[in-house]
């Protein structure tokens, strides 16, 4: 595969040849939102039917406000399987070449994009042009420029753009953020984020620069970036970063294996983080303030999240993250609900601005000032 453009052309040609397939606090419940049976339901088409799409779809079986009503895929056998599992009619099944036709499909309100990172931008623009809301997995794009174009396209089309930040709805995470906002930790001084695992199959798309736009930082390091922002409650204004690569065959040019990075915030707080594809058991957040602390390990895994503060353990009840996420996103789109921690396009764009700065810091070896423009 010579370039991203080659891939996009290849997938489009292939797609056109595929026919349509026939046929919060301790003591309260983890899911604080109650939904009435007569509330409107968000009808969602899943785009890209890989492992994560399956995880989301299975979790949505327990949703009260969201349901799977359509699919978009380049693989006919996957479409057939999903039709059977979720009772999806043939008229709601599309491929990558013809999904613009969702414009005329009243059974679909939103499209959840779970394809490789490099495809998010073009697919988001097409979904927005079709008048459907966009839910896009993180990272929202491969750089901040693409992210901004996605935001503007959705604004122009009058649809919402939400990013799949499932942790923003997780009970332990929300409780720690509440405590920080209420001043229970005092002035925040330091955050540590450790995000990593040993990646397997060397041929997967996550290790292909043309599809992933990077390596571990795009996939797992973004959790520490985003976590630092919502735990501290600020956006960083500078970053320094260092890269270590022990296997240049597996981790080719542009595909980062391990990056350590440091961020500075307007209040003076600092963050020290690690993103890696070559070490296991790295899923930890630690927040330090002058009056107390919070720690979470695991902090962003599928759960249950384990958490504690200077006041004792939290470990609030576990609910499948994607179930809560999709019910809450339905409330955002259908009811105008404002989430405790943002999940809109601007939130995703800020993470891309920071990732761009981290890559620049790695390349130059210099401290990079971050400007959100």
């Amino acid at each position: 595969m010579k370039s991203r453009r080659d891939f996009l052309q290849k997938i489009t040609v292939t797609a056109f040849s595929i026919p349509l397939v026939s046929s919060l606090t301790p003591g309260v419940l983890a899911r604080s939102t109650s939904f009435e049976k007569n509330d409107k339901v968000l009808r969602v088409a899943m785009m890209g039917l890989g492992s994560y799409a399956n995880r989301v779809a299975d979790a949505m079986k327990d949703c009260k406000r969201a349901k799977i009503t359509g699919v978009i895929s380049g693989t006919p056998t996957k479409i057939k399987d999903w039709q059977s599992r979720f009772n999806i009619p043939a008229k709601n099944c599309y491929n990558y070449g013809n999904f613009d036709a969702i414009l005329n499909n009243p059974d679909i309100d939103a499209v959840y994009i779970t394809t490789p990172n490099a495809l998010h931008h073009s697919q988001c623009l097409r979904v927005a042009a079709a008048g459907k809301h966009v839910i896009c997995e993180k990272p929202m794009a491969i750089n901040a420029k693409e992210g901004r174009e996605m935001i503007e396209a959705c604004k122009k089309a009058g649809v919402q753009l939400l990013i799949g930040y499932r942790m923003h709805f997780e009970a332990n995470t929300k409780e720690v953020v509440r405590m920080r906002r209420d001043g229970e930790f005092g002035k925040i001084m330091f955050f540590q984020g450790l995000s990593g695992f040993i990646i397997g199959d060397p041929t997967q798309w996550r290790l292909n620069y043309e599809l992933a736009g990077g390596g571990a930082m795009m996939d797992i390091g973004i959790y520490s970036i985003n976590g630092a922002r919502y735990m501290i409650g600020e956006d960083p204004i500078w970053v320094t970063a260092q890269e270590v690569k022990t296997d240049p065959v597996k981790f080719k040019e542009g595909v980062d294996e391990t990056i350590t990075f440091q961020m500075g915030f307007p209040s003076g707080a600092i963050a020290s983080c690690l993103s890696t594809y070559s070490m296991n058991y790295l899923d930890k957040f630690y927040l330090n303030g002058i009056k107390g602390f919070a720690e979470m390990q695991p902090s962003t895994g599928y759960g249950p999240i384990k958490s504690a503060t200077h006041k004792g353990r939290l470990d609030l009840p576990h609910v499948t993250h994607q179930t809560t996420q999709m019910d809450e996103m339905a409330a955002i789109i259908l009811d105008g609900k404002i989430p405790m921690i943002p999940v809109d396009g601007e939130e995703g764009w800020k993470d891309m601005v920071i990732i761009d700065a981290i890559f620049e810091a790695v390349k130059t070896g210099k401290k990079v000032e971050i400007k959100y423009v």
Side-chain angles (χ1 to χ4, degrees):
M1 189 174 297
K2 296 180 180 179
S3 68
R4 177 187 170 203
R5 179 175 295 177
D6 291 340
F7 175 83
L8 294 175
Q9 291 175 341
K10 181 178 179 181
I11 195 171
T12 300
V13 171
T14 301
F16 273 114
S17 67
I18 298 172
L20 279 175
V21 177
S22 54
S23 290
L24 279 139
T25 58
V28 300
L29 292 176
R31 295 178 69 194
S32 60
T33 304
S34 60
F35 299 113
E36 299 297 330
K37 290 183 179 181
N38 60 354
D39 282 342
K40 186 177 179 182
V41 172
L42 183 71
R43 298 163 298 181
V44 181
M46 296 298 299
M47 177 184 288
L49 307 183
S51 60
Y52 191 71
N54 275 275
R55 182 180 291 274
V56 172
D58 287 339
M60 286 177 67
K61 293 176 181 177
D62 294 325
C63 283
K64 295 180 174 61
R65 297 292 308 275
K67 67 178 293 186
I68 302 292
T69 59
V71 290
I72 302 168
S73 174
T75 308
T77 54
K78 289 183 178 180
I79 295 179
K80 287 182 180 179
D81 173 58
W82 279 60
Q83 280 190 277
S84 174
R85 289 165 54 200
F86 299 101
N87 194 29
I88 300 171
K91 66 184 181 67
N92 293 353
C93 299
Y94 302 86
N95 59 54
Y96 294 123
N98 66 17
F99 74 80
D100 307 272
I102 60 174
L103 171 68
N104 301 312
N105 192 329
D107 295 342
I108 297 171
D109 302 312
V111 174
Y112 196 150
I113 300 173
T114 64
T115 53
N117 307 336
L119 304 182
H120 293 177
H121 173 263
S122 61
Q123 291 170 342
C124 171
L125 267 55
R126 290 173 65 186
V127 171
K132 305 300 182 180
H133 301 292
V134 180
I135 302 172
C136 184
E137 255 315 297
K138 58 192 177 301
M140 70 181 297
I142 60 171
N143 55 50
K145 178 178 180 295
E146 285 194 352
R148 176 52 60 190
E149 290 172 354
M150 292 163 68
I151 292 171
E152 295 306 318
C154 289
K155 285 182 178 179
K156 181 179 179 180
V159 299
Q160 293 203 47
L161 171 60
L162 304 180
I163 311 302
Y165 290 116
R166 58 186 167 80
M167 300 311 301
H168 292 202
F169 306 106
E170 194 277 324
N172 294 273
T173 301
K174 290 174 66 175
E175 173 61 7
V176 170
V177 171
R178 182 204 64 77
M179 292 178 69
R180 187 260 302 159
R181 288 182 177 179
D182 288 351
E184 295 185 39
F185 303 124
K187 178 179 172 58
I188 301 301
M189 305 299 293
F190 175 73
F191 171 85
Q192 180 187 49
L194 304 177
S195 300
F197 61 91
I198 298 176
I199 197 165
D201 181 8
T203 66
Q204 64 181 283
W205 70 262
R206 289 178 179 82
L207 296 176
N208 182 333
Y209 176 75
E210 301 299 334
L211 294 180
M217 184 61 64
M218 288 289 195
D219 184 28
I220 192 70
I222 191 171
Y223 282 100
S224 281
I225 293 170
N226 193 253
R229 292 177 51 230
Y230 62 67
M231 294 280 272
I232 293 174
E234 299 179 82
D235 297 323
I237 55 176
W238 61 259
V239 65
T240 54
Q242 309 79 36
E243 181 177 10
V244 175
K245 186 171 292 191
T246 65
D247 188 346
V249 175
K250 186 174 184 179
F251 303 99
K252 296 178 175 60
E253 182 68 25
V255 179
D256 51 286
E257 176 184 351
T258 299
I259 293 178
T260 54
F261 58 101
Q262 305 77 42
M263 299 183 288
F265 295 79
S267 65
I270 55 174
S272 177
C273 302
L274 171 67
S275 166
T276 185
Y277 265 162
S278 61
M279 289 175 262
N280 280 332
Y281 312 113
L282 292 177
D283 184 7
K284 180 179 180 179
F285 286 173
Y286 175 77
L287 183 71
N288 178 270
I290 60 174
K291 292 182 180 179
F293 72 90
E295 59 183 358
M296 308 175 77
Q297 187 176 14
S299 57
T300 63
Y302 293 138
I305 300 302
K306 298 296 182 181
S307 55
T309 75
H310 59 288
K311 294 183 175 181
R313 296 208 64 83
L314 296 178
D315 296 345
L316 294 174
H318 172 68
V319 176
T320 302
H321 297 169
Q322 293 82 3
T323 303
T324 304
Q325 172 195 330
M326 294 309 296
D327 268 343
E328 292 291 341
M329 284 187 167
I332 292 170
I333 291 173
L334 299 175
D335 307 336
K337 181 176 181 178
I338 299 176
M340 179 181 187
I341 309 171
V343 291
D344 57 13
E346 293 290 337
E347 179 77 359
W349 173 76
K350 288 180 180 179
D351 283 345
M352 298 314 304
V353 171
I354 298 166
I355 288 177
D356 286 352
I358 290 172
F359 287 155
E360 182 181 349
V362 166
K363 182 178 179 180
T364 64
K366 298 179 179 179
K367 179 179 181 179
V368 176
E369 303 295 327
I370 302 175
K371 297 181 180 179
Y372 301 92
V373 295

